[in-house]
Amino acid sequence: MALKDGEPNLLQFRIGFTDNAQTKDYYALKVERKQLFWNDGKYSEESSTLALNLDDEPLLNTSSGLDDILMIENGFYRNLYYWDDTKIKGKSYTVRLNTNYEADYEDDFITPDGTEHIKRQVKYRISLYSLSEEFYRYLKSLNDQKNNGLGNSELAPIRSTYTNVINGIGVVGGCRMFQTKWIDNLQEN
């Protein structure tokens, strides 16, 4: 994690890996944020999967200016970002994904009832997946359905969900996952 050069309000995740040139590979990743809150000693926390800015990542940012004009959606189902190794066959690669930077804080606030002590910390966790082809196809079909605004408006066919199960519903696929521990937020200098 680092602040993006020249943009102090943009946090960039840089996730490196090496692709195997001998096989056709499929990948996915997600970034989770956990916010820890203390309000006068009372503790709470919130966790969510981040919707990331893909502007700096050519593997995932496949939209063009025409997509904006035609209002074509290009989101990722449940913020799980996936790709295949077509563009990086056998190379080491660093995925670059951005989100807004939110600094940790701790402060005292004066209220009509007295002084309130509030503290917030942010932590991140990155999960990188190696997917089977079947699982990749399933995720792609879910995404195609999610991004099919014309189909949802009855102006195009509804896309079907991928399945490799005969006489049933579902998908047989698998993945391997590497997950970091919770990473502390960057500290302001």
Side-chain angles (χ1 to χ4, degrees):
M1 291 185 333
L3 292 178
K4 185 177 173 193
D5 296 335
E7 298 190 41
N9 294 326
L10 210 54
L11 181 63
Q12 187 171 76
F13 297 95
R14 298 173 186 158
I15 302 142
F17 67 98
T18 301
D19 180 62
N20 182 350
Q22 307 304 315
T23 58
K24 178 72 176 167
D25 297 303
Y26 305 90
Y27 302 99
L29 70 81
K30 70 178 177 179
V31 178
E32 297 169 278
R33 177 182 62 201
K34 179 165 60 171
Q35 297 183 83
L36 313 168
F37 300 98
W38 291 266
N39 186 345
D40 279 340
K42 294 177 189 161
Y43 175 77
S44 65
E45 66 180 55
E46 291 177 9
S47 293
S48 62
T49 302
L50 291 178
L52 298 166
N53 174 320
L54 308 177
D55 290 347
D56 294 332
E57 186 44 62
L59 285 179
L60 297 169
N61 183 12
T62 58
S63 65
S64 67
L66 189 57
D67 293 338
D68 292 335
I69 293 169
L70 297 175
M71 295 184 291
I72 294 174
E73 295 180 53
N74 192 23
F76 284 83
Y77 182 74
R78 295 195 174 194
N79 300 324
L80 180 64
Y81 300 89
Y82 64 88
W83 66 94
D84 66 21
D85 67 354
T86 303
K87 295 180 181 177
I88 57 168
K89 201 74 169 151
K91 297 178 184 165
S92 291
Y93 189 79
T94 301
V95 178
R96 297 176 189 281
L97 302 167
N98 304 319
T99 191
N100 291 329
Y101 173 66
E102 298 177 36
D104 294 345
Y105 65 80
E106 185 170 4
D107 210 346
D108 292 317
F109 296 94
I110 298 176
T111 66
D113 298 329
T115 303
E116 244 182 279
H117 183 78
I118 297 177
K119 179 179 177 181
R120 181 190 75 156
Q121 288 181 329
V122 179
K123 296 180 180 276
Y124 298 95
R125 182 168 63 189
I126 300 167
S127 301
L128 179 63
Y129 300 85
S130 174
L131 307 173
S132 67
E133 181 178 358
E134 294 80 12
F135 195 15
Y136 172 82
R137 287 182 179 208
Y138 175 71
L139 286 174
K140 185 165 177 12
S141 72
L142 289 177
N143 241 38
D144 289 346
Q145 286 177 357
K146 178 184 181 292
N147 293 322
N148 188 10
L150 292 175
N152 295 333
S153 302
E154 299 180 5
L155 298 172
I158 300 291
R159 298 179 181 172
S160 62
T161 304
Y162 171 81
T163 183
N164 58 358
V165 176
I166 297 171
N167 296 326
I169 299 172
V171 65
V172 177
C175 69
R176 287 181 293 158
M177 177 182 73
F178 171 79
Q179 186 174 68
T180 66
K181 294 183 179 185
W182 287 102
I183 303 166
D184 289 336
N185 198 12
L186 291 179
Q187 301 303 314
E188 291 185 286
N189 295 333

